[in-house]
Amino acid sequence: LKHHLDQLVVLTSPPAWSVGERSTWPNDQSVAAFEEFMFQIASKYKGRIRHWQAGNEPNMAVWRERFTAFLKAYYRGVKRADPENKVVLCGFAGVEHLHLDAVYRLGGKDYFDVLGAHPYTRPAMPEQGGYLDRIRSIRDVMRKYGDRKPLWVDEVGWNGVEPSMLDYLRAKSPAHREYLVSEEDQARGLVRVYLLSATVPWIERVYFFHLHQEAAYTDVADNVDHYMGLFTPWLDGQVRPKDAFFAVKTVIRMLSQSAYKGRIETPSDVWCLHFERGGEATFALWSLQDGMAMTIKDPSMIENATSMVGTPVLVKDRLAVSGRPLYLKTRAGEAERLKQQIREAQWKKEG
């Protein structure tokens, strides 16, 4: 509360007395006690914590009907402590929409208020990895069961390392070869997830995974997820912000309180999204391939341009466009004229 943080609590370590077969919980004997357990925890933080996530990436092939027993007890305990509390259904690993379908088939529809999702595309960037397709597949399942709850992307990210470490770590293990990207691509992926998510009206929140990583920038860690932080341990006990930190900070600043107005017509491998806030319009512009250049006839209505990491960009009639989103700002009254300029722009692949 002191820092005005709206916390989302995740319970992943159940009381030992509640664990049953195949590490599922609660067991048949502890359903009522587990509901009381959740009631007592939620009561302790009443008024301070409003959002409670039920589980994290359960394997539905193992849990099956046990997950419904867990979800009902969790929901009832949290709601009994405070009816204003919200229960967030956890995201699932793997093919999320199939796991979600199982939750609905087993009777879980009425026991959560918000749907969580983990639509990872790593190591691919979100557009090539089908991020929006994954979101649509999840929404299709919800529609199938007549559910219109909001969706929170409560975990998404990339495993970003110092470029000089990439080849070395990839040679160490299959997981590193499968998931590792450079810190630059980590930043690109995260900021573009935020931008794409802003085009989907039922996505209310996006949480990155995670803030402070376990492995230092020089560490050879076996766990590939130890490189997912926005900050890395640095020299002499310090920490270093990665490009992903500045990229996420910038996109939040650019889009906060903004309304999405639409995607501008551009070549198929270029994205240009239009947002408005008060009397200003912001255009987020990026390409799926680097080395593109956009030439417009009259850049005079562009008041300023900002890079992916928040640094100013010189505005000219020719703008370099890459996988690093660029933000163009103008007055709302000039938005239509700038949109037309972008539609009629000349595009060229350089180099």
Side-chain angles (χ1 to χ4, degrees), residues 199-212:
T199 71
V200 182
W202 56 84
I203 295 180
E204 287 189 344
R205 298 187 183 186
V206 176
Y207 290 79
F208 55 82
F209 184 79
H210 52 107
L211 185 62
H212 193 291

Side-chain angles (χ1 to χ4, degrees), residues 59-128:
N59 184 336
M60 288 303 293
V62 171
W63 278 76
R64 296 193 295 273
E65 69 280 353
R66 297 306 311 170
F67 187 76
T68 310
F70 154 76
L71 185 60
K72 289 180 178 180
Y74 189 101
Y75 181 89
R76 288 169 176 158
V78 169
K79 288 290 191 177
R80 187 154 56 92
D82 186 346
E84 296 300 314
N85 284 339
K86 301 294 184 184
V87 172
V88 180
L89 178 63
C90 61
F92 295 92
V95 186
E96 283 199 89
H97 67 280
L98 297 181
H99 295 309
L100 179 62
D101 192 274
V103 173
Y104 282 110
R105 282 190 288 104
L106 294 168
K109 176 183 176 181
D110 296 329
Y111 296 95
F112 63 96
D113 304 295
V114 178
L115 176 64
H118 295 182
Y120 283 99
T121 67
R122 58 180 179 167
M125 292 292 99
E127 305 87 354
Q128 295 96 328

Side-chain angles (χ1 to χ4, degrees), residues 6-30:
D6 185 6
Q7 300 177 75
L8 172 61
V9 171
V10 184
L11 178 68
T12 56
S13 299
W17 47 260
S18 69
V19 178
E21 295 181 359
R22 305 186 306 276
S23 298
T24 61
W25 36 281
N27 54 46
D28 287 338
Q29 295 73 37
S30 65

Side-chain angles (χ1 to χ4, degrees), residues 138-187:
I138 291 169
R139 197 63 173 180
D140 286 345
V141 172
M142 297 180 75
R143 288 195 179 104
K144 173 182 174 182
Y145 291 94
D147 202 352
R148 300 179 63 85
K149 298 186 183 87
L151 186 149
W152 291 5
V153 176
D154 59 344
E155 187 179 313
V156 70
W158 277 261
N159 312 67
V161 302
E162 241 279 333
S164 59
M165 292 283 285
L166 263 178
D167 289 341
Y168 184 83
L169 287 169
R170 284 172 175 168
K172 295 290 289 184
S173 75
H176 288 79
R177 286 192 290 276
E178 182 176 1
Y179 289 121
L180 277 187
V181 298
S182 66
E183 289 187 11
E184 165 72 16
D185 279 347
Q186 178 190 24

Side-chain angles (χ1 to χ4, degrees), residues 83-344:
E84 296 300 314
N85 284 339
K86 301 294 184 184
V87 172
V88 180
L89 178 63
C90 61
F92 295 92
V95 186
E96 283 199 89
H97 67 280
L98 297 181
H99 295 309
L100 179 62
D101 192 274
V103 173
Y104 282 110
R105 282 190 288 104
L106 294 168
K109 176 183 176 181
D110 296 329
Y111 296 95
F112 63 96
D113 304 295
V114 178
L115 176 64
H118 295 182
Y120 283 99
T121 67
R122 58 180 179 167
M125 292 292 99
E127 305 87 354
Q128 295 96 328
Y131 175 77
L132 291 177
D133 291 335
R134 292 171 185 242
I135 296 296
R136 280 190 285 268
S137 295
I138 291 169
R139 197 63 173 180
D140 286 345
V141 172
M142 297 180 75
R143 288 195 179 104
K144 173 182 174 182
Y145 291 94
D147 202 352
R148 300 179 63 85
K149 298 186 183 87
L151 186 149
W152 291 5
V153 176
D154 59 344
E155 187 179 313
V156 70
W158 277 261
N159 312 67
V161 302
E162 241 279 333
S164 59
M165 292 283 285
L166 263 178
D167 289 341
Y168 184 83
L169 287 169
R170 284 172 175 168
K172 295 290 289 184
S173 75
H176 288 79
R177 286 192 290 276
E178 182 176 1
Y179 289 121
L180 277 187
V181 298
S182 66
E183 289 187 11
E184 165 72 16
D185 279 347
Q186 178 190 24
R188 292 183 180 202
L190 277 171
V191 69
R192 283 152 58 175
V193 155
Y194 272 85
L195 289 166
L196 294 175
S197 299
T199 71
V200 182
W202 56 84
I203 295 180
E204 287 189 344
R205 298 187 183 186
V206 176
Y207 290 79
F208 55 82
F209 184 79
H210 52 107
L211 185 62
H212 193 291
Q213 67 189 37
E214 293 86 345
Y217 75 109
T218 55
D219 283 351
V220 179
D222 292 330
N223 189 333
V224 68
D225 288 350
H226 285 184
Y227 298 103
M228 293 189 74
L230 272 59
F231 289 85
T232 176
W234 192 239
L235 303 172
D236 302 322
Q238 302 178 72
V239 296
R240 170 176 69 82
K242 298 159 73 174
D243 276 357
F245 165 74
F246 297 106
V248 169
K249 180 180 178 180
T250 300
V251 72
I252 291 173
R253 176 167 60 89
M254 290 292 172
L255 299 191
S256 179
Q257 306 301 314
S258 293
Y260 173 62
K261 295 298 184 179
R263 183 178 178 183
I264 313 307
E265 297 89 340
T266 54
S268 59
D269 58 351
V270 174
W271 285 74
C272 185
L273 305 180
H274 173 201
F275 302 91
E276 289 194 5
R277 172 178 56 200
E280 69 176 13
T282 300
F283 293 84
L285 179 66
W286 73 96
S287 173
L288 303 188
Q289 57 178 324
D290 287 346
M292 296 292 291
M294 177 186 75
T295 302
I296 60 177
K297 294 179 180 178
D298 179 14
S300 63
M301 78 288 292
I302 302 175
E303 295 188 342
N304 62 74
T306 304
S307 76
M308 177 181 77
V309 294
T311 55
V313 175
L314 183 63
V315 176
K316 298 185 291 186
D317 59 350
R318 177 191 161 280
L319 286 170
V321 180
S322 69
R324 297 168 60 90
L326 179 68
Y327 304 98
L328 308 178
K329 281 194 176 292
T330 187
R331 294 185 300 277
E334 296 280 12
E336 288 303 318
R337 194 156 72 95
L338 182 53
K339 284 167 63 175
Q340 192 61 31
Q341 293 266 333
I342 293 171
R343 292 189 189 103
E344 297 174 354

